[in-house]
Amino acid sequence: MTATLIDGKAVAARLKQRLYEHTIRLKEIHDLVPGLATVLVGDDPASEVYVRNKNKMAQSLGFHSRSHRLAANASEDEVLDVVKTLNADPSIHGILVQMPLPPQIREAAVLDILDPGKDVDALTAANAGLLMSGRARLVSCTPMGVMLLLKEYVGDIAGLEALVIGRSLLFGKPAAQLLLAANATVTMAHSKSRNLPELCRRADILVAAIGRPEFVQGEWVKPGAVVIDVGINRVQGAEGASRLVGDVAFSAAAEQARAITPVPGGVGAMTIVCLMRNTLIAAMLAAGLDPALL
Ligand code: NAP
């Protein structure tokens, strides 16, 4: 392997420490304790783990943390009522409704009543619009994690060709906006794109968020490119045990790239810490404080 390994765990640990110190100062100087509420509907095991980890990290940072659990057959109105109560609660600055929701609950209905100031996943139309207008306050966590990794490992990306594969609301679209705001020349690809290998070969920064194991081939990677693998896919290993792989064929891509994120230990490590960062930002904005220092 010739590429530098982008150590998301280490960057995330340093960011977490900064957030911790900031939280202590907020409490001492402003008597402000950030509050995060999670809402979990149903009993999907993966969602349960995600929500538990989010609450645990919030507590470890000294945040006030609360979790709401609803049955898998909860009605849309029941979920909306919980969100409305949290919207009105001044001790809660961030509300995270764990997606996906059961089919009887429309995600758009939930996002439409969620207070954009407490939307720490940055999925509401208001926060997407602010990002598009260059006035973002809360930015989607995984794209923000990617930008922080690029800042640390690449620095200025102005003028570089960036390709984002995937156009989801959660990742692809906000990631493209952030790369554009950082003056990269951005291309977005998706399942209908033609000539994906060619698009990849042009990219100085190749970002894959597809959800297909090891889909991006090593020979598609431009020599010297920076590869950011957002995908998290569980596959069966040789001995029957499952393991996690990304959307990029890691070993072959690492022979071509200048730097690459591993899976796990790359982008994934940043996401949860960026959620905490958003909660802190939301708390500061609610108190009329400037979050620019974060
Ligand atoms: P998603 O909503 O399913 O979006 C997948 C995107 O990939 C879509 O835009 C789709 O195109 C595109 N795509 C599918 N097949 C393709 C192909 N053959 N060629 C080119 N593009 C193709 O997924 P997501 O939520 O963005 O997540 C993507 C991956 O990132 C998943 O593995 C997920 O687990 C992971 N993820 C990780 C984190 C983290 O914390 N590290 C956070 C979020 C997501 P169309 O729009 O045309 O269908």
Side-chain angles (χ1 to χ4, degrees):
M1 181 176 127
T2 53
T4 300
L5 214 55
I6 298 180
D7 189 348
K9 269 191 189 164
V11 178
R14 286 199 291 277
L15 175 57
K16 187 182 170 197
Q17 180 60 27
R18 278 216 318 275
L19 297 180
Y20 178 67
E21 288 161 10
H22 209 88
T23 306
I24 291 174
R25 284 201 299 278
L26 269 189
K27 169 78 181 143
E28 281 173 2
I29 301 169
H30 300 283
D31 197 26
L32 177 62
V33 179
L36 175 68
T38 56
V39 181
L40 174 63
V41 188
D43 41 26
D44 174 64
S47 293
E48 277 180 9
V49 172
Y50 292 145
V51 164
R52 196 178 323 127
N53 288 344
K54 287 165 189 173
N55 285 311
K56 247 168 58 186
M57 188 174 285
Q59 282 157 15
S60 74
L61 284 172
F63 291 5
H64 166 58
S65 137
R66 197 184 313 156
S67 55
H68 291 261
R69 180 103 196 230
L70 289 95
N73 63 356
S75 68
E76 186 173 289
D77 281 344
E78 283 176 273
V79 178
L80 296 182
D81 282 345
V82 171
V83 174
K84 283 179 199 160
T85 306
L86 293 170
N87 276 347
D89 184 339
S91 73
I92 295 298
H93 306 99
I95 305 171
L96 180 127
V97 181
Q98 186 65 42
M99 306 289 181
L101 290 165
Q104 75 276 14
I105 300 159
R106 292 168 301 153
E107 287 185 2
V110 174
L111 294 177
D112 282 351
I113 60 133
L114 179 60
D115 177 350
K118 298 189 179 189
D119 169 26
V120 280
D121 250 350
L123 290 174
T124 58
N127 281 320
L130 285 168
L131 177 60
M132 177 81 106
S133 341
R135 294 189 290 129
R137 289 185 298 216
L138 296 172
V139 175
S140 193
C141 304
T142 308
M144 179 47 81
V146 167
M147 295 310 290
L148 293 175
L149 291 178
L150 287 174
K151 188 173 166 198
E152 184 106 1
Y153 280 84
V154 184
D156 187 8
I157 62 166
L160 296 183
E161 292 254 3
L163 173 70
V164 181
I165 315 175
R167 54 176 165 180
S168 66
L169 182 63
L170 184 67
F171 183 80
K173 283 175 182 156
Q177 285 296 328
L178 289 171
L179 289 162
L180 190 60
N183 296 317
T185 302
V186 182
T187 304
M188 293 187 76
H190 45 77
S191 67
K192 306 291 186 292
S193 296
R194 292 183 192 162
N195 251 336
L196 190 60
E198 277 313 304
L199 294 175
C200 289
R201 285 189 189 103
R202 277 193 0 222
D204 303 304
I205 299 172
L206 197 168
V207 184
I210 309 163
R212 298 184 64 170
E214 300 177 324
F215 181 78
V216 174
Q217 302 300 297
E219 64 267 26
W220 300 0
V221 175
K222 176 177 174 177
V226 175
V227 176
I228 305 288
D229 192 349
V230 182
I232 302 178
N233 310 286
R234 190 163 284 285
V235 296
Q236 261 344 86
E239 284 91 36
S242 71
R243 64 191 177 98
L244 294 181
V245 299
D247 289 344
V248 177
F250 178 82
S251 304
E255 294 301 323
Q256 297 284 98
R258 162 157 70 107
I260 186 166
T261 58
V263 178
V267 176
M270 294 297 291
T271 299
I272 186 166
V273 188
C274 287
L275 176 72
M276 302 303 139
R277 181 179 184 267
N278 270 351
T279 306
L280 204 48
I281 291 173
M284 292 178 75
L285 287 170
L289 301 170
D290 179 5
L293 290 177
L294 278 176

